[in-house]
Amino acid sequence: MFFASDNAGPALPGVMQRVTEANAGYAMPYGADEIMEEVRTALRAVFEAPEAAVYLVATGTAANALALACYAQPWQTVFCSEVAHVQEDECNAPEFYSGGAKLSLVPGGDKMTPETLRARIAVEETRRVHGPQRGPVSITQVTERGRIYTLEELHGLTGVAREFGLPVHLDGARFANALVALDCTPAEMTWKAGVDVVSFGGTKNGCLGVEAVIFFDPAKAWEFELRRKRGAHLFSKHRYLSAQMAGYLENGAWLDAARTANANCARLAQGLGKKGAEFLHPPQANMIFTRFPRGIHQRLHDAGARYYIWEGTLEGADPDEMLTARLVCDWSISTQQIDLFLSHFDK
Amino acid sequence: MFFASDNAGPALPGVMQRVTEANAGYAMPYGADEIMEEVRTALRAVFEAPEAAVYLVATGTAANALALACYAQPWQTVFCSEVAHVQEDECNAPEFYSGGAKLSLVPGGDKMTPETLRARIAVEETRRVHGPQRGPVSITQVTERGRIYTLEELHGLTGVAREFGLPVHLDGARFANALVALDCTPAEMTWKAGVDVVSFGGTKNGCLGVEAVIFFDPAKAWEFELRRKRGAHLFSKHRYLSAQMAGYLENGAWLDAARTANANCARLAQGLGKKGAEFLHPPQANMIFTRFPRGIHQRLHDAGARYYIWEGTLEGADPDEMLTARLVCDWSISTQQIDLFLSHFDK
Amino acid sequence: MFFASDNAGPALPGVMQRVTEANAGYAMPYGADEIMEEVRTALRAVFEAPEAAVYLVATGTAANALALACYAQPWQTVFCSEVAHVQEDECNAPEFYSGGAKLSLVPGGDKMTPETLRARIAVEETRRVHGPQRGPVSITQVTERGRIYTLEELHGLTGVAREFGLPVHLDGARFANALVALDCTPAEMTWKAGVDVVSFGGTKNGCLGVEAVIFFDPAKAWEFELRRKRGAHLFSKHRYLSAQMAGYLENGAWLDAARTANANCARLAQGLGKKGAEFLHPPQANMIFTRFPRGIHQRLHDAGARYYIWEGTLEGADPDEMLTARLVCDWSISTQQIDLFLSHFDK
Amino acid sequence: MFFASDNAGPALPGVMQRVTEANAGYAMPYGADEIMEEVRTALRAVFEAPEAAVYLVATGTAANALALACYAQPWQTVFCSEVAHVQEDECNAPEFYSGGAKLSLVPGGDKMTPETLRARIAVEETRRVHGPQRGPVSITQVTERGRIYTLEELHGLTGVAREFGLPVHLDGARFANALVALDCTPAEMTWKAGVDVVSFGGTKNGCLGVEAVIFFDPAKAWEFELRRKRGAHLFSKHRYLSAQMAGYLENGAWLDAARTANANCARLAQGLGKKGAEFLHPPQANMIFTRFPRGIHQRLHDAGARYYIWEGTLEGADPDEMLTARLVCDWSISTQQIDLFLSHFDK
């Protein structure tokens, strides 16, 4: 009953198989391996972007920080939601990699709107040389609260960025979960929607540790390569990154895994709803925030369920007090585990 | 016939097996996995350092840059050889991670001596606030030219560092190759010799991509953890790093691999010597620099041998011109491949 | 009729005289000049802090950024108001000097309260290594909206900082204006109120360009000296900075200048009140934000008055629309100029 | 008898007069003052560069570090002599301002030659993404050892830079001293010789603290303005910088001051030569390195002479041991002081 995060489950069998198969003989280092050639071709096809510059790194923070650094000058500010991963969960990595850029937080929780974004952008750069200069817009899809921007919403945000001439980054740590929920193409969710660079997550959806960074305009390619090396994120035995991504993409394994994770989450949410649990937002992808009484949390905890209590603390006298849980499903959670989890509501 | 580097061969079977075994069920992320507990215990035992702070990262540059950054203030300078990996092969990663520290190069090729090191240190910090301040000493063992510092030589260098109150970092990307050549204990080659922090390489000697950073004084532990996260080098699915290192250490696999690599290299060097090749330095570990005529280089190249020509170019009219090759043996090179390589000298 | 800022008026006669007098013969460079010795003694006496480390730089941004950098690690976040000068008007200098620290904005305009500050601090560092770590609190006195923290309010804020073990910086670009308004001692407004380091402004209150940075605990002294030099803020002909500060402190010139500026502002505000202008806040120091109709703004502008229109634009059809002006008085504004300014309300 | 540096003498009377005159009424801040307009026009005329972007900062280190940062990416390396001010005397300011670029030292003392420069450049960037990338060339004129590059020598160096497509920075802290010695035009010593950006020193040659940074191609103008502000080097009461530079340029005061300083130095050198002192290099500008016995050093020291002993220490038993002095003459040293200095050789 592990719902703490989608970064704690195992890798997909097909991913691990490719890694194992890659472990034979010699391979050119530093991204010159043949599997990377396969990956590059595959990702360009997936994104319908034959000119795209495609790179692999091992962590989502590396993907985000390196991608943003290619677009954010040190005297600029990055626009993102107030709970964005780049703001809350990267220990100042964007500031580090950009050489000291700022993050300007768009108020309103996990989702920006054209209005809130425009208002925040408008504030900056009204003081000429004195204030931070406007920099890239970073959008998280799936958001940190489990919600998904529709294509229309994405177009709305990138349209505002375009008004101000600002580049757009998409933090797609859960790219696949959003994609299958929207039932659109990768191109539609990225460059056709005005995105310039995407962090295409693999780790949370069934890899060991690999993320792609995809620039739809390859003009930043060489700069990225230098930044990646300088940031110590260029792997010598790069084939093991390539193999993960190859296995992830092969036969749509990445889409299947995301569909499974989303379906797991829907089943969990449906069950919780029946038990009377409340939701912060309607379930959209593979992560929900849900409220139910402390007494049930305690039973679940004692039974070995693992997840974050987002608001409130397990310790407390009142068994009826409502505590908010964050529950995340990865591809590997079984329906039995979900049903077992739900069964504790009835005891 | 792949002698280009020890970063292009496969991982040890035992390493891959542990990675595969790790791929089951859930594991706590970010270094809280149980395998990391095993690794921590094992490395502390290997180094006879029960208090040591032990961390894993995925690249050698990350290990070096993060370790040095914990000891080098931005206004300081790091002392290293003029061909140190941190100087030549990390695209300014030490400068990046330290926030702008300088590197002061000790002249004399790949090995520093107490005299050359002392002379270089003495130059700095003679201008009070105006010049760079003295920072850590970084020693590469095995050196970038394939040589090994004896324990006496290490003590000589760390003694100079101690004279000036400077901390000592050991870049041990080829730690195991040096260790088995010296036939000493890890403790003797590190903290007993005055080393404060070591980059303990795994990647080149049979892992997929993992290096340990070991602080013998744990005072820097929390700072390292923050720097690692900020540098985007903290893995969520950390178990796959842990599993590599666990497999690497298990049953002395790491020592066996290094002995094999060194023996491969010795066999290669002995054969080359018989063929009349010259050596930049006598073979000591698993890397040699050797000179022989262009004509033979061409035959080898045509036969599929892969290695760097260190001085000179393969293109050229004179088949008798001497070109210098860098030849590196990893654990996986077969004696047949070595003998095949040597056979091309006779044709 | 120049009310645009207190950074556009001339220097005090006594300040300029000391600069002129300093221009004779040789003086030791880089802060070893005799006048600096006098300044150090004087500032220690003014602050009743015989152990304080005292330094001079030429700009307020340098004072703030260097002071904060001594207390803010790159992985930390600085707490300040959402309109703090360090946030809005320094083009990311704090991020630059700290090596990439973040600024966490306390909502509520120009003044923080213990409650808003505590709430903002509480949010950070709840994610262990993943989020930014808590760093120093920076308080601006006089605030960017012309208000003053009472001693009680200062104690309230520093008390919260102490709860969390955080150091406190005071941005005193208008230190003197606040001090004379509070009618307290410099010690009471700084270290006795829990402040660790202060940017003691000179430029806006009658110097050419000089600010002191005063550390009440000298432990950071040498680090500051290295950061100042590395930041290119160590003057070779330092005597000209020293002379300014000497003249500024001599015979209480700095207090007289601030009293004059505050009185100028009070006279202006009183006159404006009589004319029906509205105020964002009651006048407290030497800066007010006041609303009156566009028609009057236009008359003032045509007559040569210079100030920032804070909200709204001078261009516009409706002469009755209310626009907000920021009006700042320095020591040198004459009562005639103020009265002339006011006279334009009647035409 | 102050020969320690040209940063310890007074400002030129004409410079101080302009500063004093500037101290009246209001002036637009941050470089929008009218005197800056005058300075911009004057410097463009002096350099025959009507398009040049012209800025003022207060320290030579700021001029160098900001100018270089506009041309050196963080993953690049700056080429300079092994004793360059940017290397030895700026406490890592170039590394700080560039965000972590490296400095590659060209061996051979204070002067680079086309051959030594080309050899050093050739070494870098032979490792593709792994090593530092080639960045700007920085030339110091007058060198740190008091020597001057002829125009032919300058063309030689910039020609090598052009071969590799690298920009050229001239550190002209003693620009005027070189110019009058070469008897050429400022244009000939800069852009006509292939220089892209120059740090045009004022401080050492008779200002209080002001240096101009001049970009002959204004494409970097806005970036410089942002870097200057972010570096806290944008003065609010900018008129006092402008006034210094205006007085410095007026009526050729800067050239007269340099001629005087050089003549002072020549007189000193001639006198020393007659006394049997030896010289590191023949005197060329306003700084010499000269060897004479400790006994004379001691007499001079006791008589109040102030200068750096470059090699050796004043303390020592042997009065005949030769110690090397660095002697610098500024514009204000009197011939009497020089003769008094020389008289101590005879006692």
Side-chain angles (χ1 to χ4, degrees), chain D residues 89-105:
Chain D
D89 272 311
E90 301 189 351
C91 195
N92 298 0
E95 288 87 347
F96 177 42
Y97 275 88
S98 65
K102 197 185 280 291
L103 271 63
S104 289
L105 308 184

Side-chain angles (χ1 to χ4, degrees), chain B residues 9 21 24 48 94 106 111 118 121 126 140 166 169 173 177 199 205 222 230 251 255 259 306 312 314 318:
Chain B
E21 290 170 5
E48 305 169 51
V106 176
K111 280 183 86 168
R118 186 182 291 108
I121 295 176
T126 54
T140 312
L166 304 179
H169 165 250
N177 302 92
S199 301
N205 192 38
W222 181 233
R230 187 175 76 115
N251 301 320
L255 298 170
R259 281 190 199 102
R306 289 294 171 267
L314 198 57
D318 181 2

Side-chain angles (χ1 to χ4, degrees), chain A residues 7-9 11 23 26-27 30 58-59 62 89 91 93 96-97 203 207-208 229-233 237 239-240 330 332-333, chain B residues 7-9 11 23 25-27 30 58-59 62 89 91 93 96-97 203 207-208 229-233 235 237 239-240 330 332:
Chain A
N7 64 22
N23 195 41
Y26 290 89
Y30 300 118
T59 71
D89 272 312
C91 195
F96 177 41
Y97 275 88
T203 310
C207 294
L208 296 80
K229 173 66 197 178
R230 187 175 76 116
H233 289 287
K237 295 186 174 175
R239 63 169 121 174
Y240 300 109
D330 81 337
S332 75
I333 196 81
Chain B
N7 64 21
N23 195 40
Y26 290 89
Y30 299 118
T59 70
D89 272 312
C91 195
F96 177 41
Y97 275 87
T203 310
C207 295
L208 295 80
K229 174 65 197 178
R230 187 175 76 115
H233 289 288
F235 276 50
K237 295 188 173 174
R239 62 169 123 174
Y240 300 109
D330 82 337
S332 75

Side-chain angles (χ1 to χ4, degrees), chain A residues 9-22 205-208 243-251 253-254 256-257 260 330-333, chain B residues 16 19-20 23-25 237 240:
Chain A
L12 292 160
V15 167
M16 186 53 81
Q17 190 180 335
R18 286 298 301 259
V19 171
T20 310
E21 290 171 5
N205 193 36
C207 294
L208 296 80
Q244 291 179 58
M245 187 55 74
Y248 184 62
L249 297 173
E250 215 161 35
N251 302 320
W254 64 297
D256 292 341
T260 304
D330 81 337
W331 69 273
S332 75
I333 196 81
Chain B
M16 186 53 82
V19 171
T20 310
N23 195 40
K237 295 188 173 174
Y240 300 109

Side-chain angles (χ1 to χ4, degrees), chain B residues 78-282:
Chain B
V78 175
F79 298 95
C80 61
S81 92
E82 60 187 357
V83 299
H85 196 271
V86 293
Q87 160 67 13
E88 292 203 327
D89 272 312
E90 302 189 351
C91 195
N92 298 1
E95 288 87 347
F96 177 41
Y97 275 87
S98 65
K102 195 185 281 291
L103 271 63
S104 288
L105 308 183
V106 176
D110 58 322
K111 280 183 86 168
M112 303 184 283
T113 68
E115 292 68 35
T116 58
L117 176 60
R118 186 182 291 108
R120 192 67 188 82
I121 295 176
V123 165
E124 302 294 356
E125 212 170 291
T126 54
R127 297 160 178 262
R128 292 150 299 125
V129 83
H130 299 282
Q133 308 294 300
R134 292 164 182 155
V137 174
S138 181
I139 304 170
T140 312
Q141 174 82 315
V142 182
T143 77
E144 290 77 6
R145 295 296 175 269
R147 292 200 291 172
I148 294 175
Y149 288 100
T150 65
L151 292 187
E152 192 178 2
E153 287 172 328
L154 283 179
H155 278 272
L157 295 178
T158 62
V160 172
R162 210 173 315 115
E163 279 175 37
F164 291 94
L166 304 179
V168 177
H169 165 250
L170 190 79
D171 176 356
R174 295 186 177 96
F175 189 94
N177 302 92
L179 192 77
V180 299
L182 287 181
D183 195 20
C184 68
T185 69
E188 285 169 344
M189 204 168 86
T190 55
W191 63 269
K192 288 185 177 175
V195 170
D196 295 289
V197 61
V198 59
S199 301
F200 176 77
T203 310
K204 288 181 190 292
N205 192 38
C207 295
L208 295 80
V210 72
E211 315 273 312
V213 178
I214 301 167
F215 292 89
F216 297 109
D217 175 353
K220 294 284 187 187
W222 181 233
E223 177 177 337
F224 182 88
E225 293 192 37
L226 290 162
R227 288 187 180 276
R228 179 177 57 168
K229 174 65 197 178
R230 187 175 76 115
H233 289 288
L234 177 59
F235 276 50
S236 58
K237 295 188 173 174
H238 187 278
R239 62 169 123 174
Y240 300 109
L241 291 185
S242 308
Q244 291 180 58
M245 187 54 74
Y248 184 61
L249 296 175
E250 215 162 35
N251 301 320
W254 64 298
L255 298 170
D256 291 343
R259 281 190 199 102
T260 304
N262 288 6
N264 287 341
C265 191
R267 181 189 188 96
L268 176 64
Q270 198 172 23
L272 286 167
K274 286 183 185 160
K275 309 293 187 189
E278 299 162 11
F279 297 96
L280 181 61
H281 303 298

Side-chain angles (χ1 to χ4, degrees), chain D residues 32-317:
Chain D
D33 54 293
E34 291 178 8
I35 311 176
M36 185 59 204
E37 200 49 56
E38 173 191 342
V39 165
R40 194 177 292 113
T41 302
L43 278 170
R44 286 172 171 169
V46 159
F47 279 91
E48 304 168 53
E51 305 291 328
V54 175
Y55 298 105
L56 301 182
V57 292
T59 71
T61 298
N64 287 340
L66 286 166
L68 280 173
C70 287
Y71 285 107
Q73 295 294 322
W75 43 82
Q76 292 181 338
T77 187
V78 175
F79 298 95
C80 61
S81 92
E82 61 187 356
V83 300
H85 196 271
V86 293
Q87 161 67 11
E88 293 203 325
D89 272 311
E90 301 189 351
C91 195
N92 298 0
E95 288 87 347
F96 177 42
Y97 275 88
S98 65
K102 197 185 280 291
L103 271 63
S104 289
L105 308 184
V106 177
D110 59 320
K111 281 184 87 168
M112 303 185 283
T113 68
E115 292 69 36
T116 58
L117 177 61
R118 187 183 289 108
R120 191 69 188 81
I121 295 176
V123 165
E124 302 295 356
E125 212 171 291
T126 54
R127 294 159 180 263
R128 291 151 299 123
V129 83
H130 299 282
Q133 307 296 299
R134 292 164 182 154
V137 174
S138 181
I139 305 170
T140 312
Q141 174 83 317
V142 180
T143 77
E144 291 77 5
R145 296 295 177 269
R147 292 199 291 172
I148 294 174
Y149 289 100
T150 65
L151 291 187
E152 192 178 3
E153 288 172 329
L154 282 180
H155 278 272
L157 296 178
T158 61
V160 172
R162 210 172 313 115
E163 279 176 37
F164 290 94
L166 306 178
V168 177
H169 165 249
L170 191 79
D171 176 356
R174 295 186 176 96
F175 188 95
N177 302 93
L179 192 77
V180 299
L182 287 181
D183 196 19
C184 67
T185 69
E188 286 169 345
M189 203 167 88
T190 55
W191 63 269
K192 289 186 177 175
V195 170
D196 295 289
V197 61
V198 60
S199 301
F200 176 76
T203 311
K204 288 181 190 291
N205 192 36
C207 294
L208 295 80
V210 73
E211 315 274 312
V213 178
I214 302 166
F215 292 89
F216 296 109
D217 175 353
K220 296 283 186 188
W222 182 233
E223 177 176 337
F224 182 88
E225 293 192 38
L226 290 162
R227 288 188 180 276
R228 178 177 58 168
K229 174 64 198 178
R230 188 175 76 117
H233 288 287
L234 176 58
F235 276 51
S236 57
K237 295 187 174 174
H238 188 280
R239 63 169 121 175
Y240 300 109
L241 292 185
S242 308
Q244 291 179 59
M245 187 54 75
Y248 184 62
L249 297 174
E250 215 162 36
N251 302 319
W254 63 299
L255 299 169
D256 291 342
R259 281 190 199 102
T260 303
N262 287 8
N264 287 341
C265 191
R267 180 191 188 97
L268 177 65
Q270 196 171 25
L272 287 167
K274 286 183 185 161
K275 308 296 187 187
E278 300 162 9
F279 296 96
L280 182 62
H281 303 297
Q284 297 186 5
N286 69 323
M287 177 164 57
I288 50 176
F289 293 76
T290 177
R291 289 162 58 82
F292 49 85
R294 174 180 285 121
I296 301 176
H297 284 284
Q298 283 172 332
R299 279 209 301 273
L300 282 163
H301 186 262
D302 293 345
R306 290 292 170 268
Y307 55 86
Y308 287 105
I309 296 192
W310 204 253
E311 284 175 21
T313 53
L314 199 58
E315 297 73 31

